[in-house]
Structures are given as structure tokens and as C-alpha cells.
């Protein structure tokens, strides 16, 4: 039996009284976590959730997330983790595309989820810190024996935006997630009982889900949660809980290094840190290792690869500035525009990945799946070089994706909202370098003749309709956007004015 929730059952049996989850003063032991998850599984089953049904989670990093994530898995359901910052129109697409049966939603986000559920068959159920109340989700029989699932049965659908349309659901199987958590915990991080893992990466995101929650559950390590990253809070928790493993995106490392409270914080417990999501500046890596006295390892992955594909490994010399070598069970290579292999040391190619970490496909989208995996190798859209030692270095993105603070933002999605504004004639969205976020969202717009809207009006319009990390912080006006001979807007020629 491969059900991902089996990891929780085994760990609860091995160390029932060990601390599984912490959130400030609140703690759950492994036995308590399993019992709450089993209670949630029974309640979901009573609510009509059958094996294979989709259950959405719209939750911040609170104990309810690991409780309800494992509860849905115990019941044999497929989990659809969603960013709590999504707005109603975005939520509706997820609910409709995945045919979500039940959405378990943090109390603060129920209104948006309810609006998103209008016209769908999705039942929205409010959740508190440990899950829904008995009034909102009546109890059923306790289920602590995981429903049997096959290796290639879908466990999680993670939505990832594309450059040419609406977000697509990457189907990650029980085997994908089990094996990637195993490699993350055992091979890269060396996680074990007694370790304390900082849970400041969002659990709805594949990095936090696999390398944080799933790896900790598999290893019996404590996961100490922060609902929303704040450098002062992160430093406080490192000292208070004696955190041994920190997982973050580059902006988090920079924020902690530059926070005034660092000088008074005891970070001596920290042993290992891992970074992903976007490129980590070499100076940040060097300074963090020096100041915190720990090893900082950089790696690479995508939602479609569960996510970890490559890493600088702890048992061999690292190469700062690279994303490391392929992890066990994963093959990586570079291909040119015709799909032919680009040999090591022979220039730039697109990273292609094959292995037990690669998704089953995109949910109900065989055409996109075939495009992404034309020959058994997943095309990442990332351009890189590889040296003769097998270390990869990202040099550019084939796709126009913007990475803001570790979150992927795709220009097309933002542009489509801009184009719904009544005064916008043309729009192009591009990344703008930013010291704190790595990249910010920038938008060039050309107004229709006679338009009365201001640039601030446009910014507010998009902010109301997209998650907070997606709307453009920089908006500037052009008479017309640069275009090619066919009339296609040339995004690569759009640049933020120096005085904006």
C-alpha cells in the first residue's frame, strides 16, 4: 500500500508522544495529529467524499493544514492545495477544472471561496485552527487505516500557471510524493527524529509541502509553523524552538541577514539550510553560511517534478551559483530547440527531466501533457548549462515566468486581467529587478483614445482581481507597445522607465 498518509501512521506508531507540529505555544504530538486526521477522514467520508474525489485546502500554515491534508489522503481523496490569497474568479477556475467536491477553507477566506463556488458543485466548509467544527463537518467513523492507493494513483493536484492560458493542474502521484520526500529527507537534508524544521514556506506550495511537511512526517521531525513569513518572527522561532533545518527562498535569507534583531538572536542550533524557488545570489549564500554557521544548499525543481530535481548535495563539494546535480531517481539533460541533446560543456540548452519525480500529467489536459512530455522527458522551459561534473547552472527562462519572492507569476494571466479594463488598449507584463523580492511585477499599458483612467486606477483594478503577489507594483504608460512584423507585442523590448 502506497498511500502517502501511511507515513503519518508509521511515525505515530514509532513515536506517539513526539512533537509533530508546533505553532507558537500550540503543539500536536504524532498520536494527536493522526487522531485528528482520522477524525477528519471519517467526517469527509460521511459528507460524501469518496476515494478519488477532489478535496481543496485553502489554508495558511496552521495545524489544520497537516490535519486536513492527511485526513483527505486517509479517506482516499485527491488533495488540491490552493493559495489563500486567490480571489473568487481564480478560485472558480480551480473548483471547476478539478471538479472539487469539498473545499476546506480558513475562516478568513470563506467569503472569496463561497463566491468562487457559485455555479459549481463545490461545498465550502469553514475551518478553524485544528479543522472544521462538528457543526460544519459532522463526525463520522474514525479512519486511521489509509485507503489503499496504487503507486500511480493521483495524490495531489497542484495548479501551475502557463504562459498561454489558465492554470493547469499537475497530477502528482503517491509514489511521486513519497519518493521525493524520501530523497529530500534522507539524501539532501539528512532529516531525523529530533530535528526541528522551520515551516515558513507555504504548505500549499510544492516546496513547503514536500521538503517541509512530507519530509518531516516521514522522518519524525518536528515542523514549527509560521503562518506568514516575517524575518523577525523567523529569527525568534529559530532561537525559541532550536530550529535545526531552515527551508526558504532567497528573499527569506536576505531578509533575515539584514534584520536588526539578528545580532541579538541565538541561531547556533541551525545545522542545514536549503534554498530553491529562484536563483540564490552567491554573496547571500556565503554570508549566510558565515553568519549562521550552517551549510546552505541550493537546488532546483518545479511543481511538475514533485518538486526536487537537482541539488548541491551535502556529501560532496558544492558549486555556489549552480543548482547542483540530479538527485537519485531523476535524470536531467539539456536539449536544443529540435530536441537533440546538448552535451555537457557544449553550450546552453533547455533542461529536460525524466524520473520517478515527474508528474503523471496535467489534470484532464492531454494536449498540454503531450506538449510538456513529448518523449518521456519533461520540458521545463528553463535554459541552462551543465559542466562535465553534472552541475547545472540556470542562465535564463525560456518561458516568460516572473519569480516574485519564490512565487511564480506568469505574464499572460496578469495581462488577461489588464485587458478586461475598459480603458486599456494594449498591455505587456514583465519582470522588474527588485532587491527584496528578486523580481517585481511590471506592466506597460497603452490606453484607448479618450480614456479617463489613471495608472493608479489600473493598478487597483488588477489588485482587486488577482492574488496579492501577482498584481503589478509598477505600471507605466506607452503610446503604443513595441511589436514585431506580425503585430505581436514584443515583451522582450518592454522595459520599465528609469523614472517610474
Amino acid at each position: 500500500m502506497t498511500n502517502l498518509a501511511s507515513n503519518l501512521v508509521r511515525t505515530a506508531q514509532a513515536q506517539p508522544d513526539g512533537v509533530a507540529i508546533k505553532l507558537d505555544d500550540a503543539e500536536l504530538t504524532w498520536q494527536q495529529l493522526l487522531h485528528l486526521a482520522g477524525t477528519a477522514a471519517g467526517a469527509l467520508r460521511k459528507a460524501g467524499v469518496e476515494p478519488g474525489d477532489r478535496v481543496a485546502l485553502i489554508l495558511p500554515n496552521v495545524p489544520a493544514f497537516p490535519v486536513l491534508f492527511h485526513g483527505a489522503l486517509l479517506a482516499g481523496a485527491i488533495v488540491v492545495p490552493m493559495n489563500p490569497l486567490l480571489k473568487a474568479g481564480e478560485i472558480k477556475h480551480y473548483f471547476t477544472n478539478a471538479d472539487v467536491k469539498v473545499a476546506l477553507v480558513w475562516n478568513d477566506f470563506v467569503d472569496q471561496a463561497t463566491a468562487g463556488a457559485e455555479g459549481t458543485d463545490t461545498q465550502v466548509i469553514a475551518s478553524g485552527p485544528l479543522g472544521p467544527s462538528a457543526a460544519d463537518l459532522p463526525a463520522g467513523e474514525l479512519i486511521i487505516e489509509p485507503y489503499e492507493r496504487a503507486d500511480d494513483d493521483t495524490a495531489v493536484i497542484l495548479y501551475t500557471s502557463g504562459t498561454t492560458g489558465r492554470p493547469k493542474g499537475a497530477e502528482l502521484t503517491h509514489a511521486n510524493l513519497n519518493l521525493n520526500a524520501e530523497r529530500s529527507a534522507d539524501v539532501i537534508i539528512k532529516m531525523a527524529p529530533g530535528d526541528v524544521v522551520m515551516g515558513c514556506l507555504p504548505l500549499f506550495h510544492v516546496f513547503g509541502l514536500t521538503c517541509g511537511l512530507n519530509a518531516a512526517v516521514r522522518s519524525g521531525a518536528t515542523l514549527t509553523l509560521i503562518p506568514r513569513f516575517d524575518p523577525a518572527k523567523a529569527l525568534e522561532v529559530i532561537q525559541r524552538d532550536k530550529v535545526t533545518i531552515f527551508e526558504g527562498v532567497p528573499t527569506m535569507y536576505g531578509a533575515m541577514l539584514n534584520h536588526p534583531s539578528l545580532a541579538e538572536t541565538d541561531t547556533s542550533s541551525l545545522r542545514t539550510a536549503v534554498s530553491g524557488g529562484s536563483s540564490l545570489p552567491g554573496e547571500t549564500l556565503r554570508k549566510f553560511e558565515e553568519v549562521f554557521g550552517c551549510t546552505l544548499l541550493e537546488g532546483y525543481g518545479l511543481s511538475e517534478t514533485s518538486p526536487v530535481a537537482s541539488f548541491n548535495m551535502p556529501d560532496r563539494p558544492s558549486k555556489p551559483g549552480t543548482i547542483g546535480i540530479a538527485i537519485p531517481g531523476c535524470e536531467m539533460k539539456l536539449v536544443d530547440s529540435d530536441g537533440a541533446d546538448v552535451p555537457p560543456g557544449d553550450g546552453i540548452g533547455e533542461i529536460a527531466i525524466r524520473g520517478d519525480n515527474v508528474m503523471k500529467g496535467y489534470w484532464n489536459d492531454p494536449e498540454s501533457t503531450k506538449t510538456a512530455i513529448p518523449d518521456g522527458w519533461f520540458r521545463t522551459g528553463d535554459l541552462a548549462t551543465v559542466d562535465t561534473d553534472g552541475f547545472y547552472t540556470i542562465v535564463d527562462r525560456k518561458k516568460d515566468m516572473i519569480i516574485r519572492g519564490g512565487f511564480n507569476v506568469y505574464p499572460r494571466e496578469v495581462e488577461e486581467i489588464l485587458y478586461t479594463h475598459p480603458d486599456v488598449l494594449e498591455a505587456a507584463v514583465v519582470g522588474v529587478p527588485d532587491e527584496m523580492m528578486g523580481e517585481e511585477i511590471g506592466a506597460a499599458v497603452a490606453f484607448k483614445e479618450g480614456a479617463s483612467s489613471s495608472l493608479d486606477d489600473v493598478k487597483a483594478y488588477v489588485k482587486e482581481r488577482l492574488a496579492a503577489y501577482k498584481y503589478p507594483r509598477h505600471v507605466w504608460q506607452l503610446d503604443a507597445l513595441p511589436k514585431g512584423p506580425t503585430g505581436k507585442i514584443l515583451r522582450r523590448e518592454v522595459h520599465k522607465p528609469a523614472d517610474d
Side-chain angles (χ1 to χ4, degrees):
M1 181 168 61
T2 311
N3 192 317
L4 184 62
S6 300
N7 292 329
L8 174 57
V9 176
R10 282 193 295 270
T11 301
Q13 290 170 345
Q15 48 187 88
D17 299 323
V19 177
I21 305 294
K22 274 181 65 71
L23 177 59
D24 293 329
D25 294 333
E27 291 186 353
L28 287 179
T29 66
W30 291 106
Q31 191 172 43
Q32 289 170 330
L33 177 57
L34 177 58
H35 182 81
L36 287 167
T39 300
L44 287 169
R45 185 64 58 80
K46 187 173 182 182
V49 173
E50 297 293 331
D53 284 345
R54 273 70 65 201
V55 173
L57 301 184
I58 306 180
L59 300 163
N61 282 17
V62 293
F65 192 106
V67 167
L68 298 176
F69 178 76
H70 288 95
L73 291 175
L74 284 167
I78 297 170
V79 183
V80 185
M82 294 169 57
N83 190 331
L85 298 177
L86 295 173
K87 298 296 177 71
E90 298 165 300
I91 291 169
K92 183 180 287 292
H93 170 67
Y94 287 45
F95 284 178
T96 304
N97 184 261
D99 192 16
V100 170
K101 193 159 198 175
V102 170
L104 303 168
V105 184
W106 187 243
N107 288 314
D108 294 349
F109 310 122
V110 166
D111 288 348
Q112 287 288 341
T114 301
E118 288 182 11
T120 75
D121 295 326
T122 304
Q123 179 186 0
V124 175
I125 299 172
S127 173
L130 294 177
S133 68
D136 292 323
L137 189 62
E141 293 184 13
L142 183 70
I143 299 176
I144 56 173
E145 182 69 27
Y147 186 85
E148 188 169 342
R149 298 275 80 183
D151 279 0
D152 63 351
D153 282 337
T154 303
V156 169
I157 299 175
L158 280 170
Y159 277 82
T160 176
S161 297
T163 56
T164 57
R166 304 296 293 274
K168 302 185 291 290
E171 289 187 73
L172 301 180
T173 67
H174 288 267
N176 284 154
L177 292 168
N178 260 318
L179 291 168
N180 211 247
E182 176 186 339
R183 275 68 183 260
S184 299
D186 299 352
V187 178
I188 301 165
I189 306 172
K190 309 291 187 182
M191 198 181 290
D195 272 321
V196 179
V197 182
M198 173 68 84
C200 56
L201 287 166
L203 298 180
F204 62 78
H205 188 277
V206 68
F207 189 3
L209 182 65
T210 292
C211 301
L213 179 60
N214 291 346
V217 170
R218 175 184 174 79
S219 305
T222 299
L223 185 67
T224 182
L225 297 172
I226 298 180
R228 183 174 183 176
F229 179 77
D230 171 79
K233 182 65 175 180
L235 290 167
E236 174 194 324
V237 172
I238 289 172
Q239 176 174 292
R240 184 195 70 200
D241 294 344
K242 295 181 170 54
V243 170
T244 58
I245 296 166
F246 188 95
E247 302 173 348
V249 296
T251 51
M252 294 178 179
Y253 291 104
M256 290 193 297
L257 274 170
N258 293 300
H259 198 273
S261 67
L262 174 59
E264 290 82 45
T265 305
D266 179 5
T267 63
S268 60
S269 61
L270 210 57
R271 182 184 79 246
T272 302
V274 294
S275 180
S278 59
S279 182
L280 180 70
E283 179 62 18
T284 302
L285 188 154
R286 185 198 63 75
K287 190 174 179 183
F288 191 88
E289 289 192 330
E290 177 186 309
V291 172
F292 283 77
C294 69
T295 300
L296 175 50
L297 303 170
E298 185 175 8
Y300 168 79
L302 310 95
S303 296
E304 291 92 339
T305 59
S306 303
V308 184
S310 67
F311 240 93
N312 282 277
M313 300 295 186
D315 55 358
R316 61 184 293 176
S318 293
K319 293 192 179 184
T322 77
I323 56 170
I325 61 174
I327 66 168
C330 172
E331 298 174 80
M332 290 172 60
K333 67 177 182 178
L334 299 181
V335 296
D336 63 18
S337 57
D338 296 323
D341 291 1
V342 177
D346 203 29
I348 296 171
E350 180 181 1
I351 297 176
I353 298 173
R354 180 171 70 179
D356 54 36
N357 56 336
V358 175
M359 66 173 180
K360 186 176 182 176
Y362 292 115
W363 177 260
N364 283 342
D365 194 346
E367 286 188 17
S368 293
T369 301
K370 182 64 176 174
T371 299
I373 316 174
D375 52 5
W377 290 84
F378 172 67
R379 301 298 201 272
T380 65
D382 289 317
L383 301 179
T385 60
V386 59
D387 65 20
T388 53
D389 294 325
F391 283 77
Y392 287 77
T393 302
I394 301 286
V395 296
D396 201 356
R397 288 189 298 275
K398 184 179 177 182
K399 302 172 185 176
D400 290 315
M401 181 177 72
I402 301 164
I403 301 179
R404 180 186 186 273
F407 287 110
N408 296 349
V409 180
Y410 289 83
R412 177 64 181 271
E413 186 179 9
V414 184
E415 287 167 0
E416 289 195 352
I417 298 298
L418 283 164
Y419 275 108
T420 65
H421 189 286
D423 279 346
V424 171
L425 176 65
E426 297 174 345
V429 171
V430 295
V432 175
D434 183 87
E435 282 190 8
M436 179 59 69
M437 291 292 152
E439 289 181 292
E440 267 294 1
I441 316 305
V445 297
F447 284 122
K448 295 176 182 175
E449 189 174 346
S452 59
S453 297
S454 68
L455 293 176
D456 284 341
D457 292 336
V458 172
K459 188 187 296 185
Y461 178 88
V462 181
K463 183 177 180 181
E464 186 180 340
R465 288 164 174 79
L466 284 177
Y469 66 92
K470 295 181 184 177
Y471 79 86
R473 267 61 172 184
H474 305 280
V475 182
W476 60 94
Q477 183 178 354
L478 299 175
D479 292 335
L481 270 64
K483 301 178 184 69
T486 63
K488 180 181 178 181
I489 291 174
L490 300 177
R491 193 182 285 122
R492 66 179 178 273
E493 295 185 13
V494 175
H495 305 286
K496 172 181 169 291
D499 58 351
D500 175 64

